[in-house]
Amino acid sequence: MGLSRCAGLRRTARLAVRLGLGLFFLALASGCAGEGRGPKRNARVAYSDGWLAMGTLFEADLRVRESEIPIAKTWLDWARVELVRLEAIYSRHDAESRLSAVNRLLGEPAALEQGVEIGPALEAVLVDSVSVWRATGGAFDVTVGPLVEVWQRAAERGEWPSVESLRRAKGRVGSERLRLVGGGRLEVDSSRVRIDLDAVAKGAALDHLGDALASVLPDAAALLSFGQSSTLAIGDPDGQGWILAVKSRDPKGGQLATVRVRDRAVSVSSSLGSVSEI
C-alpha cells in the first residue's frame, strides 16, 4: 500500500528533535463547515476518534465525504486493533513484546555466533533506523540506551559517572554493530547490544496507518497524531493545509507561531521535555 501524496516524506516523523516546544492542534472551523447544515453532496465532513495507545493518546481527525463515513469508521476500528499489535512488537516497556524478547536474546553469548530472529516488522524499522543513523552521522542511534542509562543513574546519585562505566557502555552502543542480513534475521558484532525504538516506533506506526488509510480512502484528508509529539498530515482539508499551533513550554509564553502542513510529518522529542542535572 503506497501513500503517493507522501512520497519522499516518509520516515520524517521518526527523527526526534529537541525543540523545547509543544505542538498543539488548532481546530479548523472551516474544516467542520457545513456540519449539521446539510453539506453538499461532495463536501467533506469531519470524522474523528482517539484512544490511549503506545503509551500516549492517539488521535485521528479524518475529513471524508458523508458517503465514506462507514469506511472511515471501519478503518478506525481496524486502527485500534492494529496499534495494539504494533505495540506488542515495538515496545521496550512491555516485557512480553517482540522487541523485549529480541533484546533478551541479544544479551546471550550465542547471539554473537548465531544472530537472532527478529521478524519482518522489526527488520523494516531497523533498516530505516540504520539509514537515518548514517544520514545523521550517528546522531540518531537506536542502540544508545546503555549510555543513556549510565547518565540517568549518575544523575540519580548526583555524581558524575566513572570513565570506566562510560567506556563499558560505549562498547555496547553504535548502529554499526547491527548487521541486517535479510530474511528477518539480525547479526551483531558486540555482546549485549540493546535496541530502543522509542524515538522511531510512533513514526513507523503512523506510516503504516497512513498507508492503510490511503488504500481504502485515497481522497481523504487526515491528521494522525500521537500525543502531539509525532504527527502525520495527509492531504488538505480545506485548501489551507492542516494548521498546527506552536506553544511555549512556559505557560506564560502562550502561542509562538502557527505552521501549515500538508503531506508532511512533524515530530518533537517531547512536548514537555525533561531535565536531569549533576
Side-chain angles (χ1 to χ4, degrees), residues 66-197:
E66 276 195 305
S67 62
E68 296 172 327
I69 287 178
I71 302 175
K73 181 182 184 304
T74 299
W75 179 85
L76 282 167
D77 290 341
W78 168 83
R80 186 184 294 268
V81 176
E82 187 68 358
L83 285 177
V84 173
R85 184 186 74 86
L86 293 177
E87 185 168 14
I89 296 173
Y90 299 149
S91 177
R92 71 177 175 89
H93 305 284
D94 178 2
E96 302 302 316
S97 74
R98 181 60 187 156
L99 178 61
S100 293
V102 166
N103 279 331
R104 285 192 293 271
L105 291 173
L106 290 174
E108 299 293 330
L112 277 172
E113 297 179 2
Q114 304 172 8
V116 297
E117 182 73 30
I118 61 175
L122 280 181
E123 181 181 51
V125 173
L126 286 177
V127 166
D128 290 334
S129 298
V130 171
S131 295
V132 175
W133 168 76
R134 291 195 182 101
T136 60
F140 177 89
D141 195 335
V142 293
T143 71
V144 76
L147 195 55
V148 173
E149 280 190 355
V150 170
W151 285 101
Q152 287 176 335
R153 289 195 298 267
E156 291 170 0
R157 296 192 307 268
E159 58 186 40
W160 291 89
S162 68
V163 172
E164 183 56 34
S165 66
L166 289 171
R167 185 177 293 116
R168 287 195 302 268
K170 284 184 176 182
R172 299 169 57 193
V173 171
S175 288
E176 71 273 13
R177 305 183 189 285
L178 306 178
R179 294 197 296 269
L180 294 156
V181 295
R185 290 195 61 79
L186 171 68
E187 295 179 356
V188 292
D189 65 5
S190 180
S191 62
R192 298 176 64 212
V193 172
R194 195 179 72 215
I195 298 167
D196 179 347
L197 299 179

